[in-house]
Amino acid sequence: MSHNTKMPEGLLPLFPLEVVLFPNTALPLHIFEERYKEMINECIAGDRAFGVVLSRGNGVLRTGSTATVEQVLQRFEDGRMDILTLGRRRFEIISIQTERSFFQAEVHYFDDEDTEPSNSQTILQALERFDELAKLTEDDTETPEADHPELSFQLAQISTDLSFRQTLLQMRSEADRMEQVCEHLAVLLQRHKVGKEIKKVARLNGHGKHTPDLSGLE
């Protein structure tokens, strides 16, 4: 094995995070660990992507998304930096190499295999639910265009459920993802409404005439 300090062209440097990054979505990052300062500086210098993978315990999940550094927002004297990255391509890890201070991986890139369009009714319903949820949670994410080729990923940005996001990332059909996202947004709406109802009843100091119906929640 070569011990060249430069990243071999065939290997993708990995950044394990408590994040699931979708293609064509933005991810701001604060880089502070020495190994990741080194990695990101090499990616910037070589105009190269790195892989964002969900960390679990001492390991990482196999499926992730590449990211490119779109902008260095701020550099600090100690080498820390704030950067804006953009999700690009999905991949599966074939093998991981640990020669460097950061992980590098041999990966297989993949795209959707099923190119059937999403159901138009599902799209409309999902967009309505997204709008309602964004208003309720005061999320300022702009509503994506209905004809976005990967609308499911854009809509799922509003969810913080990492398990759901990871499942979505691995799916290879936009139509199937849209069905899942539409259902997921309905669940998130219901949870938010029930949460508000619970807070309202709690404020009545135990003298409420009714309690919220929690049936149907997962």
Side-chain angles (χ1 to χ4, degrees):
M1 282 284 181
S2 166
H3 289 274
N4 190 342
T5 56
K6 293 292 180 189
M7 290 187 282
E9 283 302 317
L11 295 178
L12 183 71
L14 296 181
F15 202 161
L17 292 164
E18 285 289 315
V19 165
V20 177
L21 176 64
F22 293 139
N24 295 305
T25 59
L27 176 65
L29 290 172
H30 176 65
I31 310 299
F32 61 91
E33 282 189 63
E34 288 304 322
R35 55 183 167 169
Y36 295 122
K37 288 183 204 171
E38 183 182 3
M39 185 188 88
I40 294 298
N41 278 319
E42 284 187 33
C43 286
I44 292 169
D47 195 21
R48 293 186 56 194
F50 60 95
V52 173
V53 282
L54 182 60
S55 61
R56 275 284 181 262
N58 293 324
V60 298
L61 297 194
R62 274 185 66 210
T63 306
S65 176
T66 62
T68 50
V69 180
E70 299 298 295
Q71 196 178 349
V72 178
L73 302 171
Q74 189 169 1
R75 282 187 183 272
F76 300 89
E77 285 183 17
D78 58 5
R80 288 178 301 124
M81 63 187 110
D82 292 330
I83 60 174
L84 182 64
T85 72
L86 186 68
R88 295 291 184 175
R89 289 203 71 188
R90 292 178 291 162
F91 64 85
E92 286 182 345
I93 294 172
I94 298 169
S95 64
I96 290 181
Q97 296 198 11
T98 56
E99 289 183 342
R100 299 288 301 275
S101 59
F102 49 85
F103 290 150
Q104 298 177 97
E106 181 186 355
V107 301
H108 165 70
Y109 295 99
F110 69 91
D111 299 301
D112 283 349
E113 292 165 0
D114 176 7
T115 56
E116 285 295 310
S118 301
N119 179 287
S120 56
Q121 193 58 41
T122 303
I123 290 174
L124 287 173
Q125 203 169 34
L127 284 166
E128 284 172 8
R129 289 171 179 174
F130 178 92
D131 279 343
E132 189 180 353
L133 190 61
K135 284 193 186 87
L136 285 171
T137 58
E138 298 179 352
D139 188 299
D140 59 1
T141 306
E142 281 188 32
T143 304
E145 297 294 329
D147 59 355
H148 193 290
E150 291 180 318
L151 180 62
S152 60
F153 288 141
Q154 301 300 312
L155 294 173
Q157 276 288 90
I158 203 165
S159 175
T160 57
D161 185 328
L162 291 178
S163 295
F164 175 75
R165 289 172 70 105
Q166 184 68 26
T167 298
L168 214 62
L169 191 71
Q170 293 166 200
M171 294 174 70
R172 303 194 183 197
S173 162
E174 172 64 10
D176 289 348
R177 281 196 303 269
M178 276 303 304
E179 293 287 344
Q180 293 288 325
V181 168
C182 194
E183 288 176 23
H184 185 67
L185 291 174
V187 171
L188 293 182
L189 274 171
Q190 189 182 9
R191 282 182 188 160
H192 190 78
K193 287 172 180 175
V194 168
K196 287 186 81 170
E197 192 67 18
I198 288 170
K199 283 180 184 171
K200 191 165 78 177
V201 171
R203 279 201 300 273
L204 295 174
N205 202 24
H207 300 294
K209 292 193 171 89
H210 68 282
T211 53
D213 179 10
L214 302 178
S215 64
L217 279 188
E218 291 180 352

